[in-house]
């Protein structure tokens, strides 16, 4: 734990359990990557994947200047999973159940000889099973792709996973309901592209989401 | 549009439609707030709400140094909503459907005389209808709460909402399925707190989520 990953607010929500970090990363689909450009902060959503202790980031938006930094760029990456809404009998004690990781470090471009493996990790994170269902990336596609990597060394993980807490003397209305409404992300009906003949069956990667 | 909100990558995904921004903000529940501390970037998840052209941010994690900046802090705020997974017949053309806004500006603490209204906006954003179901915050609770506000003046919005695109000569396997799997967040069965008697009915704010 470094000075900047020390949790100062509600430290009881912090955890050093690597399983908590990995489970959160497995369940979330988007990372938010912050960096400093011309002295001001920028944050962008990116796809990500994980391989052991490495976080892979795959740019999707406005990442030009970002990805140009071949020598590494200091970043902070947040991955957050909202698990539920916490209804207390006061707005003050209302909350959210969530798991969140904040990573600090230098993101560097994945070298060419590991780029395909990194892309595989990102693809399999978002669409488990998909990599083996379609053709591999061509040399031209690989050359046109940048993936960044960041070691998961300096990480702060916070988890809130309980019902509402209330101060004992809050004067709450005891006729008000208190509890948790869990939230989860679900897949809807797959929408076949006109690229695909209607006789093509749903692949395993799609069926596993349903 | 400023230099830093000009979309350089896939500019066709940018939109200036205020309705797109407002709809995205209404549908998302977490904002990621980046700022610069001691020269390095920090990004944290926060709850948020909106009132017209103002974005309200309500700290939930490690926000001590952040919230201490009474004079305003330069931030970048991303709100992202993942709408679906886009399965192309190559990993290179696979993608995600999403809506994302990135806001730049100075966040300042909401003054005392507007703090309750700002908290109401945050609460009603996360739990519509809840504000009127429970007691209002006490003077002591208000004093213990910091809400930041940020004008929605410098904003970049990107939207991807289509099926897979593929280069015409990609050599795709035509027996592979292509399409979109939509994603949405749903509420599970409410979990009543031991604080609440089992005779207390589910309130409208919870029922509207189910």
């Amino acid at each position: 734990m470094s000075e900047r990953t020390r949790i100062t607010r509600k430290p009881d929500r912090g955890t050093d359990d690597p399983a908590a970090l990995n489970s959160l990363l497995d369940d979330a689909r988007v990372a938010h990557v912050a960096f400093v450009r011309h002295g001001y902060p920028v944050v962008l959503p990116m796809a990500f994947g994980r391989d052991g202790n490495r976080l892979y980031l795959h740019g999707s938006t406005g990442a030009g200047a970002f990805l140009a930094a071949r020598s590494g760029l200091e970043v902070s990456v947040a991955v957050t999973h909202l698990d539920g809404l916490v209804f207390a009998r006061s707005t003050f004690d209302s909350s959210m159940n969530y798991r969140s990781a904040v990573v600090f470090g230098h993101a560097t471009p994945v070298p060419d000889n590991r780029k395909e493996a990194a892309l595989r990790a990102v693809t399999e994170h978002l669409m488990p099973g998909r990599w083996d269902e379609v053709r591999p990336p061509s040399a031209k596609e690989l050359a046109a792709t940048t993936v960044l990597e960041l070691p998961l060394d300096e990480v702060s993980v916070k988890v809130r996973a309980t019902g509402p807490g209330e101060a004992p003397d809050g004067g709450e209305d005891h006729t008000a309901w208190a509890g948790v409404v869990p939230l989860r992300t679900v897949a809807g009906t797959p929408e076949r592209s006109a690229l695909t003949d209607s006789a093509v069956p749903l692949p395993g990667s799609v069926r596993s989401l349903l």
Side-chain angles (χ1 to χ4, degrees), chain A residues 65-191:
Chain A
F66 181 30
L67 299 178
R70 295 270 144 199
S71 57
L73 184 65
E74 186 159 33
V75 297
S76 175
V77 179
V79 177
T80 306
H81 198 277
L82 184 60
D83 292 317
L85 300 171
V86 181
F87 290 71
R89 294 174 300 180
S90 66
T91 54
F92 184 75
D93 288 313
S94 296
S95 188
M96 293 194 276
N97 278 343
Y98 63 90
R99 292 169 287 158
S100 96
V102 177
V103 189
F104 295 93
H106 279 78
T108 52
V110 172
D112 287 346
N113 64 336
R114 290 196 288 109
K115 205 190 273 187
E116 186 166 336
L119 276 174
R120 182 180 181 127
V122 174
T123 300
E124 288 291 296
H125 174 250
L126 281 169
M127 305 168 168
R130 187 59 171 168
W131 188 267
D132 290 330
E133 292 172 353
V134 292
R135 67 165 176 79
S138 68
K140 188 179 164 190
E141 289 172 345
L142 281 177
T145 304
T146 301
V147 185
L148 300 179
E149 64 184 355
L150 177 69
L152 288 167
D153 290 338
E154 201 179 339
V155 187
S156 159
V157 178
K158 289 186 80 172
V159 175
R160 190 196 190 283
T162 60
E166 292 177 3
D169 58 350
E172 272 65 27
D173 175 358
H174 287 249
T175 65
W177 187 88
V180 174
V181 177
L183 297 175
R184 67 182 196 284
T185 302
V186 298
T189 305
E191 299 158 1

Side-chain angles (χ1 to χ4, degrees), chain A residues 11-25:
Chain A
D12 54 303
R13 292 184 186 169
T15 173
D16 286 330
D17 179 6
L21 172 62
N22 292 343
S23 145
L24 156 64
L25 295 178

Side-chain angles (χ1 to χ4, degrees), chain A residues 52-73:
Chain A
N53 192 46
R54 278 199 188 101
L55 190 69
Y56 293 120
L57 301 167
H58 184 39
S60 59
T61 51
F66 181 30
L67 299 178
R70 295 270 144 199
S71 57
L73 184 65

